[in-house]
């Protein structure tokens, strides 16, 4: 059981646990998950760690079908600029490895913004805390559990 699953169970959030055999040669972890689990890629979301202009870090959650609009993310988080965090920093801060970074159960709670398109679905999928493990849950539960905000942060 990963910290992400523990966090959902402690909060009493209904969820589904989905596993697949991770291919270490996969180019995109999120796309791999969508294909392996036969899910609509628009419902599978990636968890990205960004560094804010003031030095803090935050989490952005966007569909695997798109990329993060850093300007929109910064605006949603109330800062002038955001950049992608270094992968080693992201791993250290979250306690997860890249490709398995879950927005749930991280070492410490970071400001989080979820792309508003997630709310268009009855269930979305995020990493469960390791490669080959995804969690399905209602987007409203994801947002409330993370104390996240929603905004249009996927690049057009």
């Amino acid at each position: 059981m990963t910290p992400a699953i523990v966090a959902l169970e402690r909060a009493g959030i209904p969820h589904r646990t989905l596993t697949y055999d991770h291919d270490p040669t996969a180019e995109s972890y999120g796309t791999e998950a969508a294909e392996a689990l036969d899910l609509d890629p628009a419902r599978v979301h990636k968890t990205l760690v960004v560094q804010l202009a003031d030095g803090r870090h935050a989490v952005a959650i966007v569909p695997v079908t798109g990329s993060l609009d850093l300007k929109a993310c910064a605006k949603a988080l109330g800062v002038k600029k955001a950049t992608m965090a270094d992968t080693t920093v992201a791993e250290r801060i979250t306690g997860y490895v890249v490709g398995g970074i879950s927005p749930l159960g991280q070492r410490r709670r970071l400001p989080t913004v979820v792309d508003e398109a997630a709310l268009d679905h009855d269930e979305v999928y995020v990493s469960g805390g390791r490669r080959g493990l995804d969690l399905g849950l209602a987007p409203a539960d994801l947002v409330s559990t993370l104390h996240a905000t929603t905004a249009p942060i996927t690049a057009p």
Side-chain angles (χ1 to χ4, degrees):
M1 195 171 318
T2 66
I5 295 171
V6 171
L8 287 177
E9 290 186 357
R10 280 190 184 149
I13 303 296
H15 62 280
R16 293 191 313 139
T17 303
L18 303 133
T19 60
Y20 61 95
D21 291 325
H22 166 63
D23 176 2
T25 65
E27 291 184 28
S28 166
Y29 298 111
T31 303
E32 175 197 21
E35 290 174 3
L37 297 169
D38 196 28
L39 298 171
D40 175 0
R43 294 172 54 188
V44 179
H45 287 68
K46 54 189 168 185
T47 304
L48 304 170
V49 178
V50 296
Q51 183 169 345
L52 306 178
D54 61 9
R56 295 178 302 134
H57 289 88
V59 171
I61 302 170
V62 297
V64 300
T65 54
S67 58
L68 177 62
D69 179 334
L70 287 165
K71 285 185 180 187
C73 181
K75 181 179 177 182
L77 292 164
V79 296
K80 290 187 182 232
K81 185 177 180 183
T83 58
M84 292 301 300
D86 180 75
T87 57
T88 56
V89 171
E91 290 178 340
R92 181 177 40 81
I93 289 172
T94 64
Y96 295 115
V97 297
V98 169
I101 294 178
S102 178
L104 303 154
Q106 294 183 358
R107 286 191 173 141
R108 66 175 192 235
R109 182 168 295 179
L110 298 173
T112 301
V113 61
V114 176
D115 186 82
E116 67 184 11
L119 300 174
D120 296 339
H121 306 286
D122 60 340
E123 186 174 52
V124 294
Y125 304 90
V126 295
S127 175
R130 65 175 166 79
R131 296 173 187 155
L133 174 66
D134 269 38
L135 301 171
L137 68 159
D141 288 340
L142 178 67
V143 170
S144 67
T145 300
L146 296 172
H147 303 282
T149 58
T150 59
I153 60 168
T154 299

